[in-house]
Amino acid sequence: MSSADRQQNAPRPSPFAVLTAAVAAVLLLLFVYSVAQVLLLFFVAALFALYLGSIIGFLEERARLPRAAGLLVALALTGLWAFAVGWLVLPPVARQTQALITALPGQIQVWTGSLRELVERYPLLAAVLPPERLNAQLSTVADNAGRFAAGIFPVVFDTLHFLINLVSVMVMGIYMALRPELYREGVVLLAPPVHRELVRDILADLGKSLRAWIGGQFLAMVFLGVLTWIGLELLNVPFALAFGVFTGVVVMVPFFGSLVSTLLPALFVLGMGGAVQAWLVVLLGVVVHLIEANFVHPLIMERRVHLPPVLTILSVLIMAELLGPIGLLVAVPVLASLMVIIRRIYVHRLLEGKGFRRFVRDAPAEVRVPESAMRLDGESVSIPAMLEQAGSAPR
């Protein structure tokens, strides 16, 4: 029987089965969207577990500590680091931030006057920047800036909901860091037996990529924050420490964080009448971010996380639209995870035709593996990854 005859005689799915599958898919998507905040907390807990797991793995390898003892040491080091930051950095940052908030309405008035003079000098800009609406908007911002900034912290940090989420993330992260194999194998068991090795390998690949992102993100925050603080101090910019900490925090939001952290101190200096100093501040921000993007970040990431800039910006916009401000913080790790899954499943297995079916032959099969894939670098050898690189994955 020819292949055409077999295709004609193959049973076709009934319309009822197709409709049922479509309805189930829609309901599943609606359920995932309704619990997106909870899934986001679980993802943050997984990132925290990977952070703890990196410290635990280092202590297990170098100090031969058992995993439970390594977890206690990792938590102690994290607590000491948080206490040191809170004791040494937060008080001066809080003072400078309060002074910045107090001075912000006056600066906005200065910016309003400068823009008004610019519109009067160039009447063509009046169509783009209507003086009446511009004055009303900036005056409203100036009146409400202090109250808005002062009200952020109680709303965000002093609510029971936030504390519950924080404790939940920490507890879930600690449990996953203590026994990662339990949860990893639980996910693997959800796959058919023939695909479990592939799922296990994809989870390992995800862990490597996310650990690389966590280490790179942490050191990038420290690097950008310290260099920005030192540079602004040398340029005699007021509130240099507050701007430096702000730069280190918003670097978690790609592109937009760098843009805001560069322009905000420049605009503040410009409002004080220093155009040359403002350009120097912009130049400082550009140089610092170029050094971090081209030298520090690639060295830390070890070429494990390859994220195209356009996809990164698109991911930030989508996550901000779906999940609000908290989505900005996890946009990059979510994109890194999706890139690994798409590369390993959609590209390698579907588009390149390597398939998912079991590989059954009566005679022994010979698989030629490149020598580069056989070199051991201290990490576990992944059979699915070797087969994908060789182009001979089971069909």
Side-chain angles (χ1 to χ4, degrees), residues 2-316:
S2 64
S3 59
D5 295 335
R6 285 196 298 267
Q7 291 179 358
Q8 291 180 355
N9 296 330
R12 296 181 178 180
S14 64
F16 179 75
V18 174
L19 179 61
T20 303
V23 172
V26 171
L27 292 177
L28 179 61
L29 291 176
L30 290 176
F31 173 76
V32 171
Y33 181 76
S34 63
V35 297
Q37 296 289 342
V38 179
L39 296 178
L40 180 62
L41 292 178
F42 177 75
F43 185 74
V44 175
L47 294 178
F48 182 59
L50 287 173
Y51 157 76
L52 294 176
S54 300
I55 302 177
I56 295 171
F58 177 81
L59 294 175
E60 284 181 331
E61 181 181 353
R62 300 297 176 89
R64 305 297 180 184
L65 287 179
R67 190 165 190 88
L71 176 60
L72 293 177
V73 173
L75 291 174
L77 292 176
T78 304
L80 288 175
W81 174 81
F83 178 78
V85 171
W87 181 266
L88 298 175
V89 179
L90 284 186
V93 170
R95 288 194 297 269
Q96 291 196 11
T97 303
Q98 184 62 40
L100 178 61
I101 292 173
T102 304
L104 189 58
Q107 292 299 120
I108 293 178
Q109 293 293 343
V110 174
W111 297 338
T112 303
S114 300
L115 289 175
R116 189 183 300 112
E117 293 177 0
L118 187 64
V119 170
E120 292 175 355
R121 186 181 305 174
Y122 302 100
L124 185 61
L125 294 178
V128 182
L129 300 173
E132 297 80 8
R133 187 170 57 182
L134 183 63
N135 292 337
Q137 291 178 351
L138 290 178
S139 298
T140 303
V141 172
D143 294 336
N144 297 330
R147 293 197 302 270
F148 175 76
I152 288 178
F153 296 97
V155 171
V156 175
F157 294 103
D158 295 338
T159 61
L160 181 61
H161 185 260
F162 174 80
L163 292 177
I164 292 175
N165 290 341
L166 178 62
V167 173
S168 301
V169 167
M170 294 181 63
V171 171
M172 288 191 295
I174 291 172
Y175 275 115
M176 286 189 286
L178 182 61
R179 299 187 62 185
E181 67 283 349
L182 174 65
Y183 305 96
R184 180 175 60 247
E185 293 303 317
V187 174
V188 172
L189 288 176
L190 296 177
V194 68
H195 300 146
R196 287 175 182 172
E197 187 62 30
L198 174 63
V199 174
R200 189 177 289 111
D201 186 59
I202 291 176
L203 291 177
D205 201 352
L206 283 172
K208 293 176 184 177
S209 299
L210 292 177
R211 275 192 295 268
W213 177 83
I214 292 172
Q217 196 66 45
F218 176 76
L219 293 181
M221 291 171 65
V222 175
F223 177 84
L224 287 174
V226 171
L227 279 192
T228 301
W229 169 50
I230 294 175
L232 294 178
E233 286 285 359
L234 293 177
L235 293 175
N236 294 321
V237 176
F239 315 113
L241 182 58
F243 284 130
V245 173
F246 177 76
T247 300
V249 172
V250 299
V251 73
M252 295 186 66
V253 183
F255 180 74
F256 301 102
S258 302
L259 184 63
V260 173
S261 63
T262 300
L263 294 180
L264 185 60
L267 289 174
F268 193 86
V269 173
L270 183 62
M272 300 173 61
V276 176
Q277 191 178 19
W279 281 111
L280 291 177
V281 171
V282 172
L283 181 62
L284 170 69
V286 171
V287 171
V288 169
H289 284 91
L290 284 177
I291 294 175
E292 185 273 335
N294 292 281
F295 296 98
V296 178
H297 215 60
L299 180 63
I300 299 169
M301 292 294 189
E302 297 178 352
R303 301 183 181 276
R304 290 193 186 277
V305 183
H306 303 278
L307 301 178
V310 174
L311 291 182
T312 303
I313 297 174
L314 187 63
S315 173
V316 170

Side-chain angles (χ1 to χ4, degrees), residues 334-363:
V334 168
L335 177 62
S337 302
L338 290 177
M339 292 287 288
V340 171
I341 296 173
I342 291 173
R343 172 172 54 85
R344 297 299 304 274
I345 295 180
Y346 182 69
V347 175
H348 288 173
R349 297 282 169 164
L350 294 179
L351 295 184
E352 296 180 359
K354 295 172 182 178
F356 295 93
R357 289 175 291 174
R358 186 187 298 271
F359 190 54
V360 179
R361 285 189 182 181
D362 296 331

